[in-house]
Amino acid sequence: MMKMHVGINVTDLQKSIQFYEKVFGIEPVTVRPDYAKFLLDSPELNFTLNLKDKVSGNQVGHFGFQVDDVDEVIHHKNRLEKLGFFAREEMDVTCCYATQDKFWVTDPDGNEWEFFYTKTTEHLQNSDQEGCCQNDHS
């Protein structure tokens, strides 16, 4: 069995732990003064936070969770909004070679997380869509 691992650098470990506890719906399995680890079952993911003095925004395009249907997108959007996160919604958008229903939340260091359902695949990227497939969704 393989479990995906993602490690990100953060500047405020406690703020980041609080953010990811809410996003993932679980507590970390390990917390140290400069480190925290979450082990998710669905999707299978080993996700770590690594404390650094400075982080300059989103160093990757973005992170995301692909879900099975639009109802699941709405469920997570409502859940996270109730926890105080502003969720930028993009319903029925065509970008990244797909038509999707999705929303975004941003962690304390600027890393963006997308929750999305792919409705159809497309032959065009539709790069005219603002922010489409880019890491600048501010």
Side-chain angles (χ1 to χ4, degrees):
M1 174 182 85
M2 285 196 301
K3 185 177 279 208
M4 183 176 171
H5 169 65
V6 173
I8 64 169
N9 297 332
V10 301
T11 57
D12 187 320
L13 189 62
Q14 289 308 309
K15 271 188 182 177
S16 295
I17 288 171
Q18 291 170 0
F19 175 85
Y20 286 105
E21 282 177 338
K22 292 174 183 173
V23 170
F24 297 149
I26 63 170
E27 294 182 2
V29 296
T30 303
V31 177
R32 301 288 186 264
D34 61 349
Y35 174 86
K37 177 168 57 175
F38 293 84
L39 291 177
L40 286 73
D41 292 327
S42 177
E44 291 192 20
L45 174 66
N46 173 332
F47 182 82
T48 60
L49 304 171
N50 305 284
L51 186 62
K52 301 291 180 188
D53 291 335
K54 183 178 178 184
V55 175
S56 57
N58 203 9
Q59 298 300 305
V60 298
H62 62 275
F63 301 100
F65 294 105
Q66 184 170 2
V67 297
D68 292 331
D69 56 46
V70 69
D71 292 337
E72 197 170 351
V73 170
I74 300 300
H75 165 77
H76 288 290
K77 179 181 171 290
N78 291 340
R79 176 181 70 83
L80 290 170
E81 284 182 334
K82 285 178 186 172
L83 292 170
F85 296 107
F86 169 76
R88 187 180 76 255
E89 183 179 289
E90 296 177 351
M91 303 304 272
D92 202 34
V93 296
T94 300
C95 95
C96 302
Y97 301 98
T99 299
Q100 302 170 334
D101 290 330
K102 59 178 141 184
F103 74 92
W104 301 83
V105 292
T106 305
D107 82 0
D109 285 293
N111 293 297
E112 290 194 302
W113 285 84
E114 168 190 33
F115 287 73
F116 68 98
Y117 166 63
T118 299
K119 296 157 85 167
T120 61
T121 58
E122 304 293 338
H123 295 290
L124 298 174
Q125 170 132 291
N126 191 10
S127 58
D128 293 339
Q129 180 84 27
E130 184 178 330
C132 178
C133 303
Q134 300 173 7
N135 64 352
D136 184 16
H137 293 284
S138 50

